[in-house]
């Protein structure tokens, strides 16, 4: 049975805002933030058996991308917490950390440290080493990455099968 989660959109927005705040203008490009969030989700899944946002990830030409957040950023509307300006994400407000647990912030900090300060080429090279991206990427298209491919710990896969979609994130 496939592992799937119900995304918590508000929490996902707060994660993006948290990463924007943490990174300052030097690390607010969409490319780095999507990879930071992927690393945070992977960390949380494998350490705690639960993602942070539940957003689905896709393997795209330049790496892993959270689908719903990416689509929101492409629309770039004011009023959703952040908006896209060129290839940067701009916060409209500070993150409401009440939506984030200590474990969530630990994972976000991990994701931030994985990709902060890296150039586009460095981020791409690092993210293309991800087993889930390698397994699912199809030349010049976007392909869904099953959570089973992000999870490295067998105990997590076993625990989540059949119950993940009922979890409250």
């Amino acid at each position: 049975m496939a592992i799937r989660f119900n995304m918590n959109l508000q929490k996902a927005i707060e994660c993006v805002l948290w990463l924007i705040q943490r990174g300052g203008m030097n690390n607010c490009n969409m490319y780095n933030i999507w990879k930071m969030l992927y690393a945070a989700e992977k960390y949380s899944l494998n350490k705690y058996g639960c993602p942070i946002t539940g957003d689905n990830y896709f393997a795209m030409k330049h790496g892993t991308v959270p689908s719903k957040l990416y689509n929101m950023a492409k629309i770039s509307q004011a009023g959703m917490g952040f908006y896209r300006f060129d290839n940067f994400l701009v916060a409209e407000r500070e993150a409401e950390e009440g939506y984030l647990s200590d474990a969530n912030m630990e994972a976000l900090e991990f994701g931030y440290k994985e990709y902060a300060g890296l150039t586009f080429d460095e981020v791409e090279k690092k993210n293309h080493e991800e087993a889930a991206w390698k397994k699912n990427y199809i030349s010049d298209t976007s392909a869904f990455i099953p959570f089973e491919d992000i999870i490295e710990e067998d105990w997590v896969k076993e625990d989540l099968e059949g119950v993940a979609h009922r979890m409250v994130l």
Side-chain angles (χ1 to χ4, degrees), residues 140-151:
D140 291 330
T141 62
S142 65
F144 173 71
I145 300 174
F147 281 102
E148 294 86 346
D149 292 347
I150 299 170
I151 300 168

PDB file of all heavy atoms in Angstrom, residues 140-151:
ATOM      1  N   ASP A 140      13.803  15.521 -18.673  1.00  0.00           N
ATOM      2  CA  ASP A 140      13.051  16.732 -19.012  1.00  0.00           C
ATOM      3  C   ASP A 140      11.556  16.696 -18.684  1.00  0.00           C
ATOM      4  O   ASP A 140      10.762  17.394 -19.312  1.00  0.00           O
ATOM      5  CB  ASP A 140      13.256  17.103 -20.480  1.00  0.00           C
ATOM      6  CG  ASP A 140      14.670  17.579 -20.741  1.00  0.00           C
ATOM      7  OD1 ASP A 140      15.283  18.154 -19.817  1.00  0.00           O
ATOM      8  OD2 ASP A 140      15.169  17.379 -21.859  1.00  0.00           O
ATOM      9  N   THR A 141      11.159  15.895 -17.732  1.00  0.00           N
ATOM     10  CA  THR A 141       9.771  15.899 -17.272  1.00  0.00           C
ATOM     11  C   THR A 141       9.774  15.956 -15.751  1.00  0.00           C
ATOM     12  O   THR A 141      10.808  15.814 -15.115  1.00  0.00           O
ATOM     13  CB  THR A 141       9.016  14.625 -17.715  1.00  0.00           C
ATOM     14  OG1 THR A 141       9.648  13.493 -17.124  1.00  0.00           O
ATOM     15  CG2 THR A 141       8.981  14.480 -19.213  1.00  0.00           C
ATOM     16  N   SER A 142       8.617  16.163 -15.171  1.00  0.00           N
ATOM     17  CA  SER A 142       8.520  16.085 -13.710  1.00  0.00           C
ATOM     18  C   SER A 142       7.818  14.779 -13.364  1.00  0.00           C
ATOM     19  O   SER A 142       6.844  14.401 -14.006  1.00  0.00           O
ATOM     20  CB  SER A 142       7.769  17.287 -13.137  1.00  0.00           C
ATOM     21  OG  SER A 142       6.434  17.297 -13.555  1.00  0.00           O
ATOM     22  N   ALA A 143       8.354  14.082 -12.388  1.00  0.00           N
ATOM     23  CA  ALA A 143       7.803  12.788 -11.995  1.00  0.00           C
ATOM     24  C   ALA A 143       7.600  12.762 -10.479  1.00  0.00           C
ATOM     25  O   ALA A 143       8.456  13.210  -9.714  1.00  0.00           O
ATOM     26  CB  ALA A 143       8.749  11.663 -12.412  1.00  0.00           C
ATOM     27  N   PHE A 144       6.464  12.250 -10.061  1.00  0.00           N
ATOM     28  CA  PHE A 144       6.120  12.117  -8.656  1.00  0.00           C
ATOM     29  C   PHE A 144       7.142  11.237  -7.939  1.00  0.00           C
ATOM     30  O   PHE A 144       7.573  10.212  -8.464  1.00  0.00           O
ATOM     31  CB  PHE A 144       4.722  11.503  -8.549  1.00  0.00           C
ATOM     32  CG  PHE A 144       4.300  11.165  -7.149  1.00  0.00           C
ATOM     33  CD1 PHE A 144       3.996  12.162  -6.237  1.00  0.00           C
ATOM     34  CD2 PHE A 144       4.217   9.846  -6.742  1.00  0.00           C
ATOM     35  CE1 PHE A 144       3.614  11.853  -4.945  1.00  0.00           C
ATOM     36  CE2 PHE A 144       3.829   9.519  -5.449  1.00  0.00           C
ATOM     37  CZ  PHE A 144       3.529  10.530  -4.552  1.00  0.00           C
ATOM     38  N   ILE A 145       7.540  11.645  -6.732  1.00  0.00           N
ATOM     39  CA  ILE A 145       8.436  10.845  -5.897  1.00  0.00           C
ATOM     40  C   ILE A 145       7.599  10.242  -4.774  1.00  0.00           C
ATOM     41  O   ILE A 145       7.124  10.982  -3.906  1.00  0.00           O
ATOM     42  CB  ILE A 145       9.574  11.693  -5.288  1.00  0.00           C
ATOM     43  CG1 ILE A 145      10.422  12.347  -6.383  1.00  0.00           C
ATOM     44  CG2 ILE A 145      10.437  10.834  -4.364  1.00  0.00           C
ATOM     45  CD1 ILE A 145      11.471  13.317  -5.847  1.00  0.00           C
ATOM     46  N   PRO A 146       7.389   8.945  -4.760  1.00  0.00           N
ATOM     47  CA  PRO A 146       6.635   8.328  -3.663  1.00  0.00           C
ATOM     48  C   PRO A 146       7.373   8.510  -2.334  1.00  0.00           C
ATOM     49  O   PRO A 146       8.610   8.487  -2.286  1.00  0.00           O
ATOM     50  CB  PRO A 146       6.574   6.847  -4.038  1.00  0.00           C
ATOM     51  CG  PRO A 146       6.941   6.779  -5.474  1.00  0.00           C
ATOM     52  CD  PRO A 146       7.817   7.959  -5.755  1.00  0.00           C
ATOM     53  N   PHE A 147       6.618   8.692  -1.260  1.00  0.00           N
ATOM     54  CA  PHE A 147       7.245   8.830   0.054  1.00  0.00           C
ATOM     55  C   PHE A 147       8.098   7.610   0.378  1.00  0.00           C
ATOM     56  O   PHE A 147       9.108   7.728   1.066  1.00  0.00           O
ATOM     57  CB  PHE A 147       6.183   9.043   1.145  1.00  0.00           C
ATOM     58  CG  PHE A 147       5.675  10.453   1.198  1.00  0.00           C
ATOM     59  CD1 PHE A 147       4.448  10.782   0.649  1.00  0.00           C
ATOM     60  CD2 PHE A 147       6.431  11.457   1.783  1.00  0.00           C
ATOM     61  CE1 PHE A 147       3.977  12.083   0.697  1.00  0.00           C
ATOM     62  CE2 PHE A 147       5.974  12.767   1.833  1.00  0.00           C
ATOM     63  CZ  PHE A 147       4.739  13.074   1.289  1.00  0.00           C
ATOM     64  N   GLU A 148       7.731   6.450  -0.130  1.00  0.00           N
ATOM     65  CA  GLU A 148       8.517   5.239   0.107  1.00  0.00           C
ATOM     66  C   GLU A 148       9.944   5.380  -0.396  1.00  0.00           C
ATOM     67  O   GLU A 148      10.858   4.743   0.136  1.00  0.00           O
ATOM     68  CB  GLU A 148       7.875   4.020  -0.577  1.00  0.00           C
ATOM     69  CG  GLU A 148       6.544   3.612  -0.026  1.00  0.00           C
ATOM     70  CD  GLU A 148       5.360   4.352  -0.636  1.00  0.00           C
ATOM     71  OE1 GLU A 148       5.551   5.384  -1.319  1.00  0.00           O
ATOM     72  OE2 GLU A 148       4.238   3.911  -0.428  1.00  0.00           O
ATOM     73  N   ASP A 149      10.148   6.203  -1.415  1.00  0.00           N
ATOM     74  CA  ASP A 149      11.491   6.409  -1.960  1.00  0.00           C
ATOM     75  C   ASP A 149      12.290   7.444  -1.162  1.00  0.00           C
ATOM     76  O   ASP A 149      13.513   7.483  -1.250  1.00  0.00           O
ATOM     77  CB  ASP A 149      11.414   6.834  -3.427  1.00  0.00           C
ATOM     78  CG  ASP A 149      10.899   5.721  -4.324  1.00  0.00           C
ATOM     79  OD1 ASP A 149      10.842   4.554  -3.873  1.00  0.00           O
ATOM     80  OD2 ASP A 149      10.536   6.016  -5.482  1.00  0.00           O
ATOM     81  N   ILE A 150      11.606   8.284  -0.407  1.00  0.00           N
ATOM     82  CA  ILE A 150      12.281   9.277   0.435  1.00  0.00           C
ATOM     83  C   ILE A 150      12.673   8.651   1.768  1.00  0.00           C
ATOM     84  O   ILE A 150      13.698   8.986   2.345  1.00  0.00           O
ATOM     85  CB  ILE A 150      11.364  10.506   0.660  1.00  0.00           C
ATOM     86  CG1 ILE A 150      11.033  11.176  -0.682  1.00  0.00           C
ATOM     87  CG2 ILE A 150      12.012  11.503   1.615  1.00  0.00           C
ATOM     88  CD1 ILE A 150       9.957  12.250  -0.598  1.00  0.00           C
ATOM     89  N   ILE A 151      11.862   7.715   2.226  1.00  0.00           N
ATOM     90  CA  ILE A 151      12.099   7.052   3.511  1.00  0.00           C
ATOM     91  C   ILE A 151      13.191   6.003   3.347  1.00  0.00           C
ATOM     92  O   ILE A 151      13.092   5.105   2.523  1.00  0.00           O
ATOM     93  CB  ILE A 151      10.799   6.403   4.041  1.00  0.00           C
ATOM     94  CG1 ILE A 151       9.726   7.478   4.236  1.00  0.00           C
ATOM     95  CG2 ILE A 151      11.066   5.638   5.331  1.00  0.00           C
ATOM     96  CD1 ILE A 151       8.339   6.916   4.484  1.00  0.00           C
TER      97      ILE A 151
END
